[in-house]
Amino acid sequence: MADSSTQSIVIAAPPARVTAVICDFPSYPEWAEAVKRVEVVEEYEDGYPARVRFVLDASVMTDEYTLAYEYAEDISRIEWHLVEPSRMQKVQNGSYDIGDNGDGTSTVTYTLEVELSVGMLGMFRRKAEKMIMDAALTQLKRRVEALNGAG
């Protein structure tokens, strides 16, 4: 059974800057520590990535997998799901919801549901999940704010 977790963070940048970083998949290895390689394998007609292959090396877990992405019309929500089971994962569903706070900041809510192919004690799975969620949001915040300050 897959577990789902949700966390939010406020980022000092407007939603358009946040979505630009999220959708720039080839740049992930520059700022997402566990991501070693990313390849956009298919795009929609509008240029947004439709399928993206990831190579992950998070010391305790290495994996290679492809995610399919869907976008809300206004890009306020970005969803994904695992195209086929990988060595480590049976299921991965997730989303970013990007809300405009009206003051030049955005609230990003990250939801992740993962079912691993390998057995892992609940206590360790929850710790790994929290680490992934924290890293995803804090590294995203750091990247967006660094680019926002420079732009």
Side-chain angles (χ1 to χ4, degrees):
M1 192 175 91
D3 286 329
S4 181
S5 295
T6 301
Q7 282 187 14
S8 296
I9 197 166
V10 174
I11 297 179
R17 294 280 177 114
V18 176
T19 57
V21 170
I22 292 170
C23 294
D24 183 11
F25 294 102
S27 294
Y28 276 38
E30 296 172 18
W31 60 269
E33 292 168 12
V35 179
K36 299 307 172 199
R37 200 168 66 244
V38 179
E39 176 192 2
V40 175
V41 291
E42 188 181 324
E43 290 183 342
Y44 290 107
E45 287 180 15
D46 61 8
Y48 281 98
R51 289 183 184 244
V52 182
R53 175 172 293 286
F54 291 84
V55 175
L56 200 70
D57 187 352
S59 66
V60 294
M61 183 176 122
T62 59
D63 202 7
E64 190 169 330
Y65 54 92
T66 301
L67 300 177
Y69 284 84
E70 293 179 18
Y71 307 86
E73 204 167 304
D74 63 356
I75 316 294
S76 63
R77 181 175 177 86
I78 300 168
E79 299 179 352
W80 65 88
H81 68 269
L82 192 63
V83 172
E84 59 189 31
S86 68
R87 190 170 61 85
M88 296 294 292
Q89 303 174 75
K90 288 183 190 174
V91 173
Q92 183 187 140
N93 297 307
S95 64
Y96 283 107
D97 287 290
I98 302 109
D100 189 340
N101 296 332
D103 60 0
T105 68
S106 304
T107 297
V108 178
T109 302
Y110 181 71
T111 302
L112 183 66
E113 175 189 5
V114 175
E115 183 177 348
L116 296 175
S117 303
V118 294
M120 191 181 276
L121 290 173
M123 165 176 91
F124 291 114
R125 189 177 64 242
R126 283 187 295 279
K127 185 175 180 179
E129 192 174 85
K130 182 178 177 0
M131 204 173 73
I132 291 165
M133 303 271 308
D134 288 347
L137 286 172
T138 57
Q139 290 172 27
L140 174 66
K141 176 181 172 75
R142 193 178 315 132
R143 174 70 170 195
V144 171
E145 290 178 353
L147 292 176
N148 199 41

